[in-house]
Amino acid sequence: MSVNAAIQSGIEVTGRAIPAAIEAFGEFTVLAGQMLMANGIGRPDKNGFIQVDVEGWYPIESYLKTYKQIAEQLGDRLVRKLGAAKAKHARFPPTLVDVPTAMQAMDVGFHMNHRHHGRVMFDPLTGTMLEGIGHYHCQHIPGQQRIVMHCDNPYPCAFDQGILEAMAQRFAPTAALTHDPLRPCRKKGDPSCTYVITW
C-alpha cells in the first residue's frame, strides 16, 4: 500500500470507532490489538488485551501505519472490513436520508472524526472546515442512481472502498461500489482514487 496524499502534522483521529474496528478482525482480534498498541493506539489491560479511550484522540500516523501492516500481513480484504466498521460507528451529520445525502456528507463526516492541534476539523455550528487531510469529493450524476466519489485523503484505497460501500448500503442494501479502472489509485502510489457507486 502506497499513499502519497500529504497530511499536516498534528492530525489526530477519534478513538470512537476502534472497538468496532477490532471486532471486524474476527479471529484476529488479539493480533489487531497488538498491532494498534505497537503503534501507540490504546494500552494493554491486566490480561494484555487492548483498551482504548473511545473519547480519546490518536495520531493519524499511528492509524495509517497500522493499516499498512494489516494490508501487508492480512490483506486488503480486512482493511476493507475496517472501513465498513468505521462507517457503522463514526460520527456523521443527522441529515443523512439516502445514498446521495450520505455520500455528500462523507467529507464533513471525515473532518468531524479528525482534529488538528486539538481542534475538530469541521465545526457544524459555523460550517468551518480545516484543511490538511484531503477530501471526499462527491458528484451525483443527474437523473441516475450513480455517484462518483473522488478521494484524495491519506487512507488506503481498500479502507475507502469499505467505508463508502457500507455508508451507501445503510440506505440502499443493494448498493455496489467499483473502482474506476481508468483513474489513478493510491495503492499504485497515486494521490487519489475514484469510485463509482450505484444502487
Side-chain angles (χ1 to χ4, degrees):
M1 176 185 77
S2 178
V3 178
N4 289 344
I7 55 172
Q8 295 181 10
S9 62
I11 304 288
E12 296 174 305
V13 187
T14 179
R16 186 175 299 273
I18 296 175
I22 293 171
E23 189 176 304
F25 273 85
E27 62 188 276
F28 299 107
T29 55
V30 173
L31 177 59
Q34 291 171 346
M35 286 180 170
L36 288 163
M37 289 187 289
N39 290 317
I41 300 174
R43 296 181 179 179
D45 65 13
K46 62 181 180 180
N47 297 313
F49 296 110
I50 188 171
Q51 284 202 319
V52 295
D53 177 3
V54 295
E55 298 300 325
W57 295 84
Y58 299 91
I60 191 172
E61 294 87 358
S62 298
Y63 274 86
L64 296 176
K65 186 174 180 183
T66 303
Y67 291 150
K68 182 177 181 181
Q69 291 172 345
I70 292 165
E72 290 172 350
Q73 296 181 34
L74 302 171
D76 282 341
R77 185 174 174 208
L78 190 48
V79 176
R80 189 168 177 157
K81 280 182 70 176
L82 293 173
K86 178 88 171 180
K88 293 174 185 162
H89 295 275
R91 293 178 180 171
F92 286 96
T95 53
L96 310 188
V97 295
D98 54 18
V99 176
T101 56
M103 294 301 104
Q104 290 162 2
M106 280 299 302
D107 198 45
V108 167
F110 175 55
H111 284 78
M112 288 174 69
N113 285 280
H114 292 78
R115 69 181 189 179
H116 187 215
H117 294 304
R119 184 177 170 198
V120 176
M121 298 186 75
F122 181 79
D123 183 341
L125 297 177
T126 65
T128 302
M129 181 178 286
L130 303 179
E131 295 296 329
I133 52 171
H135 292 277
Y136 286 85
H137 306 276
C138 175
Q139 178 189 6
H140 186 193
I141 309 303
Q144 298 182 33
Q145 291 183 311
R146 177 184 175 89
I147 289 176
V148 176
M149 295 294 294
H150 179 77
C151 304
D152 57 9
N153 64 70
Y155 285 87
C157 174
F159 180 87
D160 273 346
Q161 289 181 43
I163 196 170
L164 291 171
E165 188 169 67
M167 280 299 294
Q169 289 175 350
R170 284 173 62 170
F171 302 96
T174 59
L177 175 146
T178 56
H179 193 300
D180 186 337
L182 302 178
R183 302 295 294 275
C185 180
R186 285 166 291 183
K187 189 169 182 179
K188 297 176 182 177
D190 297 311
S192 65
C193 293
T194 301
Y195 311 100
V196 177
I197 298 166
T198 55
W199 69 98

